[in-house]
Coordinates of all heavy atoms in Angstrom, one line a residue:
M152 N 49.4 -14.8 71.1 CA 50.1 -14.7 69.8 C 50.1 -13.2 69.3 O 49.2 -12.5 69.6 CB 49.5 -15.6 68.8 CG 50.3 -15.8 67.6 SD 49.6 -17.3 66.7 CE 50.5 -17.1 65.3
D153 N 51.1 -12.8 68.7 CA 51.3 -11.4 68.3 C 50.7 -11.0 66.9 O 50.8 -9.9 66.5 CB 52.8 -11.0 68.3 CG 53.6 -11.8 67.3 OD1 53.0 -12.6 66.6 OD2 54.8 -11.6 67.3
G154 N 50.0 -11.9 66.3 CA 49.3 -11.6 65.0 C 50.2 -11.8 63.8 O 49.7 -11.7 62.7
Q155 N 51.5 -12.1 64.0 CA 52.4 -12.3 62.8 C 52.3 -13.7 62.3 O 52.2 -14.6 63.1 CB 53.8 -12.0 63.3 CG 54.0 -10.6 63.7 CD 55.0 -9.8 62.8 OE1 55.7 -10.4 62.0 NE2 55.1 -8.5 62.9
M156 N 52.3 -13.8 61.0 CA 52.3 -15.2 60.4 C 53.7 -15.7 60.2 O 54.6 -14.9 59.9 CB 51.5 -15.1 59.1 CG 50.1 -14.7 59.2 SD 49.2 -14.5 57.6 CE 49.2 -16.2 57.1
T157 N 53.9 -17.0 60.3 CA 55.2 -17.6 60.0 C 55.3 -17.6 58.4 O 54.3 -17.5 57.7 CB 55.3 -19.0 60.5 OG1 54.3 -19.8 59.8 CG2 55.0 -19.0 62.0
P158 N 56.5 -17.7 57.9 CA 56.7 -17.9 56.5 C 55.9 -19.1 55.9 O 55.3 -19.0 54.8 CB 58.2 -18.1 56.3 CG 58.8 -17.4 57.5 CD 57.8 -17.6 58.6
Q159 N 55.8 -20.2 56.7 CA 55.0 -21.3 56.2 C 53.5 -21.0 56.1 O 52.9 -21.3 55.1 CB 55.2 -22.5 57.1 CG 54.6 -23.8 56.6 CD 55.1 -24.3 55.3 OE1 56.4 -24.3 55.1 NE2 54.3 -24.7 54.4
E160 N 53.0 -20.2 57.1 CA 51.6 -19.8 57.0 C 51.4 -18.8 55.9 O 50.3 -18.9 55.2 CB 51.2 -19.2 58.3 CG 51.1 -20.1 59.5 CD 51.0 -19.4 60.8 OE1 51.5 -18.3 61.0 OE2 50.4 -20.1 61.7
M161 N 52.3 -17.9 55.7 CA 52.2 -17.0 54.5 C 52.2 -17.7 53.2 O 51.5 -17.4 52.3 CB 53.3 -15.9 54.6 CG 53.1 -14.9 55.8 SD 54.1 -13.5 55.9 CE 55.7 -14.1 55.6
L162 N 53.1 -18.7 53.1 CA 53.2 -19.5 51.9 C 51.9 -20.2 51.6 O 51.4 -20.2 50.4 CB 54.4 -20.5 52.0 CG 54.6 -21.4 50.7 CD1 54.9 -20.5 49.5 CD2 55.7 -22.4 51.0
S163 N 51.3 -20.7 52.6 CA 50.0 -21.4 52.4 C 48.9 -20.4 51.9 O 48.1 -20.7 51.0 CB 49.5 -22.0 53.7 OG 48.2 -22.5 53.6
E164 N 48.9 -19.1 52.4 CA 48.0 -18.1 52.0 C 48.3 -17.7 50.5 O 47.3 -17.5 49.7 CB 48.0 -16.9 52.9 CG 47.5 -17.2 54.3 CD 46.0 -17.5 54.2 OE1 45.2 -16.9 53.5 OE2 45.6 -18.4 55.0
V165 N 49.5 -17.6 50.2 CA 49.9 -17.2 48.8 C 49.5 -18.4 47.8 O 48.9 -18.1 46.8 CB 51.4 -17.0 48.7 CG1 51.9 -16.8 47.2 CG2 51.8 -15.7 49.4
D166 N 49.7 -19.6 48.2 CA 49.2 -20.7 47.4 C 47.7 -20.7 47.2 O 47.2 -21.0 46.1 CB 49.7 -22.1 48.0 CG 51.1 -22.4 47.8 OD1 51.7 -21.8 46.9 OD2 51.7 -23.2 48.6
N167 N 47.0 -20.4 48.3 CA 45.5 -20.3 48.2 C 45.1 -19.1 47.2 O 44.2 -19.3 46.4 CB 44.9 -20.0 49.5 CG 44.9 -21.2 50.4 OD1 45.0 -22.3 50.0 ND2 44.9 -21.0 51.7
A168 N 45.8 -18.0 47.2 CA 45.6 -16.9 46.3 C 45.8 -17.3 44.9 O 45.1 -17.0 44.0 CB 46.4 -15.7 46.7
I169 N 47.0 -18.0 44.7 CA 47.3 -18.4 43.3 C 46.2 -19.4 42.8 O 45.8 -19.3 41.7 CB 48.7 -19.1 43.3 CG1 49.8 -18.0 43.5 CG2 48.9 -19.8 42.0 CD1 51.2 -18.6 43.7
Y170 N 45.8 -20.3 43.6 CA 44.8 -21.3 43.2 C 43.5 -20.5 42.9 O 42.8 -20.8 41.9 CB 44.5 -22.3 44.4 CG 43.4 -23.2 44.1 CD1 43.6 -24.3 43.3 CD2 42.1 -23.0 44.6 CE1 42.6 -25.2 43.0 CE2 41.1 -23.9 44.4 CZ 41.3 -25.0 43.5 OH 40.3 -25.8 43.3
T171 N 43.1 -19.6 43.7 CA 41.9 -18.8 43.5 C 41.9 -18.1 42.1 O 40.9 -18.1 41.4 CB 41.6 -17.8 44.6 OG1 41.5 -18.5 45.8 CG2 40.3 -17.0 44.4
I172 N 43.0 -17.5 41.8 CA 43.2 -16.8 40.5 C 43.1 -17.9 39.3 O 42.4 -17.6 38.3 CB 44.5 -16.0 40.4 CG1 44.4 -14.8 41.4 CG2 44.8 -15.6 39.0 CD1 45.7 -14.1 41.6
C173 N 43.8 -19.0 39.5 CA 43.8 -20.0 38.4 C 42.4 -20.6 38.2 O 42.0 -20.9 37.1 CB 44.7 -21.1 38.8 SG 46.5 -20.6 38.7
V174 N 41.6 -20.7 39.3 CA 40.2 -21.3 39.2 C 39.2 -20.2 38.8 O 38.3 -20.4 38.0 CB 39.9 -22.0 40.5 CG1 38.4 -22.4 40.5 CG2 40.7 -23.2 40.7
G175 N 39.3 -19.1 39.4 CA 38.3 -18.1 39.3 C 38.6 -16.9 38.4 O 37.7 -16.0 38.2
G176 N 39.8 -16.8 38.0 CA 40.2 -15.7 37.1 C 40.8 -14.5 37.9 O 40.8 -14.4 39.1
Q177 N 41.5 -13.6 37.1 CA 42.2 -12.5 37.7 C 41.2 -11.4 38.2 O 41.5 -10.8 39.2 CB 43.1 -11.9 36.6 CG 44.0 -10.8 37.1 CD 45.2 -11.4 37.9 OE1 45.7 -12.4 37.6 NE2 45.5 -10.8 39.0
S178 N 40.1 -11.3 37.6 CA 39.1 -10.3 38.1 C 37.7 -10.8 37.6 O 37.6 -11.6 36.7 CB 39.4 -8.9 37.5 OG 39.2 -8.9 36.1
Y179 N 36.7 -10.2 38.3 CA 35.3 -10.5 37.9 C 34.5 -9.3 38.2 O 34.8 -8.4 39.0 CB 34.8 -11.8 38.4 CG 34.6 -11.8 39.9 CD1 33.5 -11.4 40.6 CD2 35.7 -12.3 40.7 CE1 33.3 -11.5 41.9 CE2 35.6 -12.3 42.1 CZ 34.4 -11.9 42.7 OH 34.3 -12.0 44.1
K180 N 33.3 -9.2 37.6 CA 32.4 -8.1 37.7 C 31.0 -8.6 38.1 O 30.5 -9.6 37.5 CB 32.3 -7.3 36.4 CG 31.6 -6.0 36.5 CD 31.8 -5.2 35.3 CE 31.3 -3.8 35.5 NZ 31.5 -2.9 34.3
M181 N 30.4 -8.0 39.1 CA 29.0 -8.3 39.5 C 28.3 -7.0 39.5 O 28.5 -6.2 40.4 CB 29.0 -9.0 40.9 CG 29.7 -10.3 41.0 SD 29.7 -11.0 42.6 CE 27.9 -11.2 42.9
G182 N 27.4 -6.9 38.5 CA 26.7 -5.6 38.4 C 27.6 -4.5 38.1 O 28.4 -4.5 37.2
S183 N 27.6 -3.5 39.0 CA 28.5 -2.3 38.8 C 29.8 -2.4 39.5 O 30.6 -1.5 39.5 CB 27.7 -1.0 39.2 OG 27.4 -1.1 40.6
R184 N 30.0 -3.5 40.3 CA 31.2 -3.7 41.1 C 32.1 -4.6 40.4 O 31.7 -5.6 39.8 CB 30.8 -4.2 42.5 CG 30.0 -3.3 43.3 CD 29.6 -4.0 44.6 NE 28.7 -3.1 45.3 CZ 29.0 -2.6 46.5 NH1 30.1 -2.9 47.1 NH2 28.1 -1.9 47.1
Q185 N 33.4 -4.3 40.5 CA 34.5 -5.2 39.9 C 35.5 -5.5 41.0 O 35.9 -4.6 41.8 CB 35.1 -4.5 38.7 CG 36.2 -5.4 38.1 CD 36.7 -4.8 36.8 OE1 36.0 -4.0 36.1 NE2 37.9 -5.2 36.4
L186 N 36.0 -6.8 41.0 CA 37.0 -7.2 41.9 C 38.2 -7.6 41.1 O 38.1 -8.4 40.2 CB 36.6 -8.4 42.8 CG 37.7 -9.0 43.6 CD1 38.0 -8.1 44.8 CD2 37.3 -10.4 44.1
D187 N 39.4 -7.0 41.4 CA 40.6 -7.4 40.8 C 41.5 -8.1 41.9 O 41.7 -7.5 42.9 CB 41.4 -6.2 40.2 CG 40.6 -5.5 39.1 OD1 40.2 -6.3 38.2 OD2 40.5 -4.3 39.1
R188 N 41.9 -9.3 41.6 CA 42.8 -10.0 42.5 C 44.2 -9.6 42.3 O 44.6 -8.9 41.4 CB 42.6 -11.5 42.3 CG 41.2 -12.0 42.7 CD 41.1 -13.5 42.7 NE 39.8 -13.9 43.2 CZ 38.8 -14.4 42.4 NH1 39.0 -14.4 41.1 NH2 37.7 -14.8 42.9
A189 N 45.1 -10.1 43.2 CA 46.5 -9.7 43.2 C 47.1 -10.2 41.8 O 46.6 -11.2 41.2 CB 47.2 -10.4 44.3
D190 N 48.1 -9.5 41.4 CA 48.9 -9.9 40.2 C 49.5 -11.3 40.4 O 50.2 -11.5 41.4 CB 49.9 -8.8 39.9 CG 50.7 -9.1 38.7 OD1 50.1 -9.3 37.6 OD2 51.9 -9.2 38.8
L191 N 49.3 -12.2 39.4 CA 49.8 -13.5 39.5 C 51.3 -13.6 39.6 O 51.9 -14.3 40.3 CB 49.3 -14.3 38.3 CG 49.3 -15.9 38.5 CD1 48.7 -16.4 39.7 CD2 48.7 -16.5 37.3
K192 N 52.0 -12.7 38.8 CA 53.5 -12.7 38.8 C 54.0 -12.3 40.1 O 54.9 -12.8 40.6 CB 54.0 -11.7 37.7 CG 55.5 -11.4 37.9 CD 56.3 -11.6 36.6 CE 57.7 -11.2 36.7 NZ 58.5 -11.6 37.9
T193 N 53.3 -11.3 40.7 CA 53.8 -10.8 42.1 C 53.6 -12.0 43.1 O 54.5 -12.2 43.9 CB 52.9 -9.6 42.5 OG1 53.1 -8.6 41.6 CG2 53.3 -9.1 43.9
L194 N 52.5 -12.7 43.0 CA 52.3 -13.8 43.9 C 53.4 -14.9 43.7 O 53.9 -15.4 44.7 CB 50.9 -14.4 43.7 CG 49.7 -13.6 44.2 CD1 48.4 -14.2 43.8 CD2 49.8 -13.4 45.7
Y195 N 53.7 -15.2 42.5 CA 54.8 -16.2 42.3 C 56.1 -15.7 42.8 O 56.9 -16.5 43.4 CB 54.9 -16.5 40.8 CG 53.9 -17.6 40.4 CD1 52.9 -17.3 39.4 CD2 53.9 -18.9 40.9 CE1 52.0 -18.3 39.1 CE2 53.0 -19.8 40.6 CZ 52.0 -19.5 39.6 OH 51.1 -20.5 39.3
D196 N 56.4 -14.4 42.7 CA 57.6 -13.8 43.3 C 57.7 -14.0 44.8 O 58.7 -14.3 45.4 CB 57.8 -12.3 42.9 CG 58.1 -12.1 41.4 OD1 58.5 -13.1 40.7 OD2 57.9 -11.0 40.9
I197 N 56.5 -13.7 45.4 CA 56.4 -13.8 46.9 C 56.6 -15.3 47.3 O 57.3 -15.6 48.2 CB 55.1 -13.2 47.4 CG1 55.0 -11.7 47.1 CG2 54.8 -13.6 48.8 CD1 53.6 -11.1 47.4
K198 N 56.0 -16.2 46.5 CA 56.1 -17.6 46.8 C 57.5 -18.0 46.7 O 58.0 -18.8 47.6 CB 55.2 -18.4 45.8 CG 55.3 -19.9 46.0 CD 54.5 -20.6 45.0 CE 54.7 -22.1 45.3 NZ 53.5 -22.9 44.9
N199 N 58.3 -17.6 45.7 CA 59.7 -18.0 45.6 C 60.5 -17.4 46.8 O 61.4 -18.1 47.3 CB 60.3 -17.4 44.3 CG 59.7 -18.2 43.1 OD1 59.3 -19.3 43.2 ND2 59.8 -17.6 41.9
D200 N 60.2 -16.2 47.2 CA 60.9 -15.6 48.3 C 60.6 -16.4 49.6 O 61.5 -16.7 50.4 CB 60.5 -14.2 48.5 CG 61.1 -13.3 47.5 OD1 62.1 -13.7 46.7 OD2 60.6 -12.1 47.3
L201 N 59.3 -16.7 49.8 CA 59.0 -17.5 51.0 C 59.6 -18.9 51.0 O 60.0 -19.4 52.1 CB 57.4 -17.5 51.2 CG 56.8 -16.2 51.5 CD1 55.3 -16.4 51.4 CD2 57.1 -15.8 52.9
T202 N 59.6 -19.5 49.9 CA 60.1 -20.9 49.8 C 61.6 -20.8 50.1 O 62.1 -21.7 50.8 CB 59.9 -21.4 48.3 OG1 58.5 -21.5 48.1 CG2 60.5 -22.8 48.2
A203 N 62.3 -19.8 49.7 CA 63.7 -19.7 50.0 C 63.9 -19.4 51.5 O 64.8 -20.0 52.1 CB 64.3 -18.5 49.2
Q204 N 63.1 -18.6 52.1 CA 63.2 -18.4 53.5 C 63.0 -19.7 54.3 O 63.7 -19.9 55.3 CB 62.1 -17.4 54.0 CG 62.4 -16.0 53.6 CD 61.3 -15.0 54.1 OE1 60.7 -15.3 55.1 NE2 61.1 -14.0 53.4
I205 N 62.0 -20.5 53.9 CA 61.7 -21.7 54.6 C 62.8 -22.7 54.4 O 63.2 -23.4 55.4 CB 60.4 -22.3 54.1 CG1 59.2 -21.3 54.6 CG2 60.1 -23.7 54.6 CD1 57.9 -21.6 53.9
S206 N 63.4 -22.8 53.2 CA 64.4 -23.9 53.0 C 65.7 -23.6 53.6 O 66.4 -24.4 54.1 CB 64.5 -24.1 51.5 OG 65.0 -23.0 50.8
E207 N 66.2 -22.3 53.5 CA 67.6 -22.1 53.9 C 67.7 -20.7 54.6 O 68.8 -20.4 55.2 CB 68.6 -22.1 52.8 CG 68.9 -23.5 52.2 CD 69.6 -24.3 53.2 OE1 70.4 -23.8 54.0 OE2 69.4 -25.5 53.2
G208 N 66.8 -19.9 54.6 CA 66.9 -18.6 55.2 C 67.2 -17.5 54.2 O 66.5 -16.5 54.2
T209 N 68.1 -17.7 53.3 CA 68.4 -16.7 52.3 C 68.6 -17.5 51.0 O 69.1 -18.6 51.0 CB 69.7 -15.9 52.6 OG1 70.8 -16.8 52.7 CG2 69.5 -15.0 53.8
P210 N 68.2 -16.9 49.9 CA 68.4 -17.6 48.6 C 69.9 -17.7 48.2 O 70.6 -16.8 48.5 CB 67.6 -16.7 47.6 CG 67.4 -15.4 48.2 CD 67.5 -15.6 49.7
G211 N 70.2 -18.8 47.6 CA 71.6 -19.0 47.1 C 71.9 -18.2 45.8 O 71.0 -17.8 45.1
L212 N 73.2 -18.1 45.5 CA 73.6 -17.4 44.3 C 73.1 -18.1 43.1 O 72.7 -17.4 42.1 CB 75.1 -17.4 44.3 CG 75.8 -16.8 43.1 CD1 75.4 -15.3 43.0 CD2 77.3 -16.9 43.1
L213 N 73.0 -19.4 43.0 CA 72.6 -20.1 41.8 C 71.2 -20.7 41.9 O 70.9 -21.7 41.2 CB 73.6 -21.2 41.5 CG 75.1 -20.7 41.2 CD1 76.0 -21.8 41.0 CD2 75.1 -19.7 40.0
D214 N 70.4 -20.2 42.8 CA 69.0 -20.7 42.8 C 68.3 -20.4 41.5 O 68.6 -19.4 40.8 CB 68.2 -20.1 43.9 CG 68.6 -20.6 45.3 OD1 69.3 -21.6 45.4 OD2 68.1 -20.1 46.3
N215 N 67.4 -21.3 41.1 CA 66.6 -21.2 39.8 C 67.5 -21.2 38.6 O 67.2 -20.7 37.6 CB 65.8 -19.9 39.8 CG 64.7 -20.0 40.9 OD1 64.1 -21.0 41.1 ND2 64.4 -18.8 41.5
C216 N 68.7 -21.8 38.7 CA 69.6 -22.0 37.6 C 69.5 -23.5 37.1 O 69.4 -24.4 37.9 CB 71.1 -21.7 37.9 SG 71.4 -20.0 38.2
F217 N 69.6 -23.7 35.8 CA 69.5 -25.0 35.2 C 70.7 -25.2 34.3 O 71.2 -24.2 33.7 CB 68.2 -25.2 34.4 CG 67.0 -24.9 35.3 CD1 66.4 -23.7 35.4 CD2 66.5 -26.0 36.0 CE1 65.3 -23.5 36.2 CE2 65.4 -25.8 36.8 CZ 64.8 -24.6 36.9
V218 N 71.1 -26.4 34.2 CA 72.3 -26.8 33.3 C 71.7 -27.7 32.2 O 71.0 -28.7 32.5 CB 73.4 -27.4 34.1 CG1 74.5 -27.9 33.2 CG2 73.9 -26.5 35.2
A219 N 72.1 -27.5 31.0 CA 71.8 -28.4 29.9 C 73.1 -29.0 29.4 O 74.1 -28.4 29.3 CB 71.1 -27.6 28.8
V220 N 72.9 -30.3 29.1 CA 74.1 -31.1 28.6 C 73.7 -31.5 27.2 O 72.7 -32.2 27.0 CB 74.4 -32.3 29.4 CG1 75.5 -33.1 28.8 CG2 74.7 -31.9 30.9
F221 N 74.5 -31.1 26.2 CA 74.3 -31.5 24.8 C 75.4 -32.5 24.4 O 76.6 -32.2 24.5 CB 74.3 -30.3 23.9 CG 73.3 -29.3 24.3 CD1 73.5 -28.2 25.1 CD2 72.0 -29.4 23.8 CE1 72.5 -27.2 25.4 CE2 71.0 -28.5 24.1 CZ 71.3 -27.4 24.9
D222 N 75.0 -33.7 23.9 CA 75.9 -34.7 23.4 C 76.2 -34.3 21.9 O 75.3 -33.9 21.2 CB 75.3 -36.1 23.5 CG 75.2 -36.5 24.9 OD1 76.0 -36.0 25.8 OD2 74.4 -37.4 25.2
Q223 N 77.4 -34.5 21.5 CA 77.7 -34.4 20.1 C 77.2 -35.6 19.3 O 77.7 -36.7 19.6 CB 79.2 -34.2 19.9 CG 79.7 -32.9 20.5 CD 81.2 -32.7 20.3 OE1 81.8 -33.6 19.8 NE2 81.7 -31.6 20.8
R224 N 76.3 -35.4 18.5 CA 75.8 -36.5 17.7 C 75.9 -36.2 16.2 O 75.8 -35.2 15.7 CB 74.4 -36.8 18.0 CG 74.3 -37.4 19.4 CD 72.9 -37.8 19.7 NE 72.8 -38.2 21.1 CZ 71.8 -38.8 21.6 NH1 70.7 -39.1 20.9 NH2 71.8 -39.1 22.9

């Protein structure tokens, strides 16, 4: 194997990173050392890109669009 991850494998890693931040926080400090994890917004952007790659290859023009219908009452 050439060491490259598939989009599905990368998505799994991104999901794990998001979970770790949600459970353990964005950063923590132990003594004089501090660990800052990846930015949550960046991880969600990567997740959206990978999901689009897995589902169709390229994102569509109207992905992430919603329609609201309002009845006249």
Side-chain angles (χ1 to χ4, degrees):
M152 194 165 170
D153 62 5
Q155 296 245 348
M156 296 175 71
T157 66
Q159 186 62 44
E160 291 169 331
M161 291 190 311
L162 180 61
S163 178
E164 291 297 319
V165 169
D166 283 338
N167 289 337
I169 291 171
Y170 175 79
T171 300
I172 291 172
C173 290
V174 171
Q177 189 74 41
S178 65
Y179 64 91
K180 191 170 188 176
M181 293 177 65
S183 62
R184 297 177 183 240
Q185 181 169 339
L186 171 74
D187 294 315
R188 294 190 173 102
D190 179 57
L191 197 53
K192 167 130 178 40
T193 302
L194 288 173
Y195 277 117
D196 290 343
I197 294 169
K198 179 178 178 155
N199 290 339
D200 289 343
L201 289 170
T202 301
Q204 285 180 29
I205 292 167
S206 66
E207 288 293 328
T209 58
L212 177 62
L213 298 176
D214 284 353
N215 294 324
C216 289
F217 301 92
V218 176
V220 176
F221 298 97
D222 290 335
Q223 295 179 358
R224 292 185 185 192

